[in-house]
Amino acid sequence: MFSLSIKEMTFFKLKYLLIGFILFFVAALVFIISGLANGLANDNASSMKELEVTNFYLAEDSENRLDRSQFTIEQAEKAKDASAFGVQMQTTEKGKDGKKIDSTFMTFENKKLLPTIIEGKMPQNANEVIVDKTMQEHGVKLGSVLYLPSVEKKVKVSAFTEHFTYSHTPVIVIQPALWEKVGFTYNALVSTSGTPVQSIDGDWSTKEDVVAQIPGYSAEQSSLNMMLSFLIIIAVFVLGAFFYIMTIQKVQQFGILKAIGAKSKSLIRTTMLQVFILSITSITLAALFAYILPLFMPEGMPFVFEPTVILSYGAALFAVSLIGALISTISIVKADPIQAMGRVE
């Protein structure tokens, strides 16, 4: 039956090639939107996801939002077994040209939470900062001077990190000494050694809940996930219809094969094998296409190829193809050898 499947696909190669292309484009579209969803999520909250903490202690009634949670320096000092964490979205100006850059200031009382440096060296004093490498697109280099207009301070770039952004803006990691000097308040308390006992009013929130409340994060992900869901639903009907039509067109052939001794089970296996080959080939090529696509995308386009996510969507599309083909095999069972022979002239 394997040779029969291959021979038929080779003989009617144009028909099967067209079906394969349709499956390829559907899968590629699903994978591309998935990559964009992951890219936007990463661009929006990579700094939070990179933190090696699982819970944040936020002020009461903050509703898991960092911008609504405020702790004074005195309150942070009362915390036991926890370190202060601060985040402030501000505008930064680059050097002498005064070019404005939207950015986010962050500070970590616990130095173990500092991001990994890919270029430069750790800050040696309060006026040196670590910045995300996306600021290089604005002409920022090692040793560049940044002006913080909101606090009227100048800082020097001592190192670059990567994948450390917040709400689609690059993060500037400021030393706690400067953070407290300019009068910023802290937004949360974090712990890397379990849940500490707090002597200040507040509530624990998981990292996932805090990330979900980053401005725009949930709205972006909900929209893209809805698009993906509709694509999968559309794929069910499109692929099911194509496989059904393909099977209906061969009812007479199935009837003749039955008349000469072929079993329905064998014919069903032949059809399912063809769908299996088409699906595996098309989905694999679509995954490879999504993998190399970032090489041709404009620089800065938020696209992340996540193998586990691609594998899950690929498995879903594969299952949809098999289910659509399985439903169409009802016509194989109903194929009547006598009617098929009667139609032969």
Side-chain angles (χ1 to χ4, degrees):
M1 285 301 169
F2 178 78
S3 60
L4 179 61
S5 301
I6 298 299
K7 285 180 180 179
E8 185 180 4
M9 293 177 70
T10 304
F11 188 80
F12 296 105
K13 45 183 168 292
L14 180 60
K15 178 174 68 174
Y16 285 97
L17 192 62
L18 289 173
I19 296 173
F21 267 120
I22 292 169
L23 182 54
F24 167 81
F25 286 122
V26 170
L29 187 56
V30 170
F31 296 157
I32 290 170
I33 294 179
S34 171
L36 289 172
N38 291 329
L40 286 170
N42 189 64
D43 194 48
N44 206 345
S46 61
S47 58
M48 301 296 293
K49 293 180 178 180
E50 289 292 322
L51 294 182
E52 295 183 1
V53 296
T54 57
N55 295 284
F56 291 81
Y57 194 76
L58 305 178
E60 288 184 330
D61 301 323
S62 61
E63 297 180 343
N64 299 324
R65 290 186 55 169
L66 286 169
D67 56 339
R68 294 180 181 176
S69 175
Q70 303 291 330
F71 293 121
T72 64
I73 298 172
E74 291 75 19
Q75 287 177 311
E77 289 175 348
K78 293 179 181 179
K80 298 178 181 179
D81 301 322
S83 58
F85 165 70
V87 54
Q88 297 282 338
M89 297 186 69
Q90 302 281 339
T91 299
T92 305
E93 294 181 4
K94 174 183 169 290
K96 298 179 181 180
D97 58 13
K99 182 179 180 180
K100 296 185 182 298
I101 305 171
D102 291 330
S103 58
T104 298
F105 302 163
M106 278 191 182
T107 191
F108 305 94
E109 193 176 36
N110 186 347
K111 292 185 178 181
K112 293 181 180 179
L113 299 178
L114 289 173
T116 303
I117 289 176
I118 61 170
E119 185 181 355
K121 60 182 181 180
M122 277 288 182
Q124 302 299 312
N125 57 66
N127 293 321
E128 291 185 339
V129 296
I130 304 171
V131 302
D132 184 73
K133 72 173 185 178
T134 53
M135 292 197 75
Q136 293 176 348
E137 299 171 7
H138 301 281
V140 176
K141 302 176 181 179
L142 288 176
S144 294
V145 175
L146 302 176
Y147 178 64
L148 316 181
S150 61
V151 293
E152 298 182 347
K153 291 289 182 182
K154 291 182 179 180
V155 293
K156 183 179 179 181
V157 177
S158 69
F160 285 108
T161 185
E162 64 179 346
H163 307 310
F164 213 69
T165 54
Y166 182 90
S167 193
H168 301 299
T169 62
V171 170
I172 300 175
V173 180
I174 296 175
Q175 300 304 301
L178 179 60
W179 188 274
E180 295 180 4
K181 185 177 180 180
V182 299
F184 282 149
T185 56
Y186 291 109
N187 300 87
L189 302 172
V190 297
S191 173
T192 57
S193 58
T195 304
V197 177
Q198 298 295 339
S199 56
I200 54 178
D201 293 332
D203 298 297
W204 282 103
S205 297
T206 63
K207 182 195 288 188
E208 291 75 17
D209 290 337
V210 173
V211 168
Q213 293 302 319
I214 293 176
Y217 183 88
S218 296
E220 286 177 353
Q221 294 305 300
S222 297
S223 300
L224 290 168
N225 287 332
M226 182 175 289
M227 291 174 64
L228 283 169
S229 299
F230 274 108
L231 272 175
I232 296 294
I233 294 172
I234 291 170
V236 171
F237 289 100
V238 170
L239 297 177
F242 267 98
F243 291 135
Y244 181 75
I245 292 171
M246 183 179 71
T247 306
I248 288 294
Q249 290 176 337
K250 297 191 295 182
V251 168
Q252 183 176 345
Q253 299 173 31
F254 291 140
I256 294 173
L257 288 171
K258 281 185 176 183
I260 61 177
K263 302 292 183 181
S264 294
K265 290 182 179 179
S266 298
L267 297 176
I268 291 173
R269 281 199 296 268
T270 300
T271 301
M272 295 302 293
L273 182 59
Q274 291 174 343
V275 174
F276 179 87
I277 294 171
L278 274 176
S279 301
I280 288 293
T281 303
S282 300
I283 293 172
T284 301
L285 290 175
L288 290 174
F289 175 75
Y291 179 74
I292 65 172
L293 186 62
L295 299 176
F296 306 96
M297 282 185 167
E299 190 174 351
M301 177 80 73
F303 185 93
V304 175
F305 183 91
E306 186 64 47
T308 54
V309 176
I310 296 297
L311 185 62
S312 63
Y313 282 120
L317 289 170
F318 179 68
V320 164
S321 300
L322 292 182
I323 292 171
L326 193 61
I327 293 173
S328 67
T329 56
I330 296 174
S331 55
I332 297 177
V333 177
K334 291 182 177 180
D336 189 343
I338 297 177
Q339 290 184 356
M341 294 293 290
R343 292 175 187 168
V344 178
E345 298 180 357

